[in-house]
Amino acid sequence: KYIVHGRYQYLHTLFTWNKDDSFRNIFKRLISLRNHLYGIRPKKEIFNYKGNKYINLPKILHYPNNGFLGKHIDNSPVQDRNFIIVASKKGYDFTKGGLFYEINNKNIEIEKYLKIGDVVCNDYKVKHGVKKISSTRKQSGRFSIVLSMHKV
């Protein structure tokens, strides 16, 4: 079952078989943290978790001016939590918008509490999204790193 939601973002995905080393060391450390929390002990690119085989599919997301991600749940039957690494700062890289969660039927923006390098971890069933980003020509927009596992 898939949930459709609107988005305007750019995506850079680092597949394990690509030779792109630009972010490999950063992702390696973050994946190690996630694996420790999940109890995953991968020996190869394909690893087992809860009886299924997976690969890592880390992504860098860029929300330029007017970029957004509609409210959604991730609907993952096996990945219990989202791991989002903050890679930009509200007020410096963009002026309005950012990550929000729906709590008690209200959208709560949390971006003002975040700084670059923070790891945001939430249950996959929690509704969340990125409110429309406003940035000037001198600002880069909102960036985040998402650690995804995909079933093979």
Side-chain angles (χ1 to χ4, degrees):
K1 182 177 178 180
Y2 294 95
I3 295 173
V4 179
H5 50 273
R7 66 176 67 209
Y8 172 41
Q9 64 185 182
Y10 298 104
L11 182 69
H12 174 84
T13 303
L14 181 66
F15 296 99
T16 54
W17 52 85
N18 291 144
K19 301 298 181 204
D20 180 358
D21 286 330
S22 58
F23 300 103
R24 192 169 305 281
N25 288 333
I26 294 168
F27 285 137
K28 196 180 214 179
R29 285 182 272 170
L30 296 170
I31 288 168
S32 178
L33 170 67
R34 191 236 19 236
N35 288 351
H36 178 74
L37 293 172
Y38 276 164
I40 297 171
R41 291 177 176 75
K43 294 185 172 123
K44 297 182 180 177
E45 290 178 0
I46 297 174
F47 58 92
N48 290 310
Y49 180 65
K50 292 188 177 181
N52 295 295
K53 293 184 184 225
Y54 289 89
I55 61 169
N56 287 308
L57 204 56
K59 304 172 188 113
I60 295 176
L61 303 178
H62 176 220
Y63 299 88
N65 189 43
N66 295 317
F68 69 95
L69 178 60
K71 184 173 18 179
H72 65 286
I73 59 170
D74 290 315
N75 202 26
S76 172
V78 290
Q79 191 165 329
D80 309 326
R81 302 171 201 93
N82 279 326
F83 289 86
I84 303 166
I85 294 84
V86 179
S88 56
K89 179 74 176 148
K90 187 172 185 171
Y92 182 79
D93 297 301
F94 60 98
T95 54
K96 291 183 183 175
L99 183 62
F100 70 87
Y101 289 95
E102 182 182 275
I103 300 170
N104 296 326
N105 295 317
K106 288 184 173 182
N107 291 340
I108 308 298
E109 290 186 51
I110 68 162
E111 202 78 45
K112 64 184 175 185
Y113 304 109
L114 303 175
K115 57 184 186 265
I116 294 173
D118 284 353
V119 177
V120 179
C121 182
N122 65 274
D123 185 289
Y124 76 94
K125 294 177 186 172
V126 175
K127 289 182 184 176
H128 61 282
V130 174
K131 192 171 180 181
K132 187 165 86 168
I133 298 299
S134 293
S135 58
T136 66
R137 289 182 185 211
K138 293 182 179 182
Q139 293 176 309
S140 57
R142 183 182 186 274
F143 284 87
S144 61
I145 299 170
V146 177
L147 303 181
S148 298
M149 304 180 336
H150 285 268
K151 199 189 242 187
V152 292

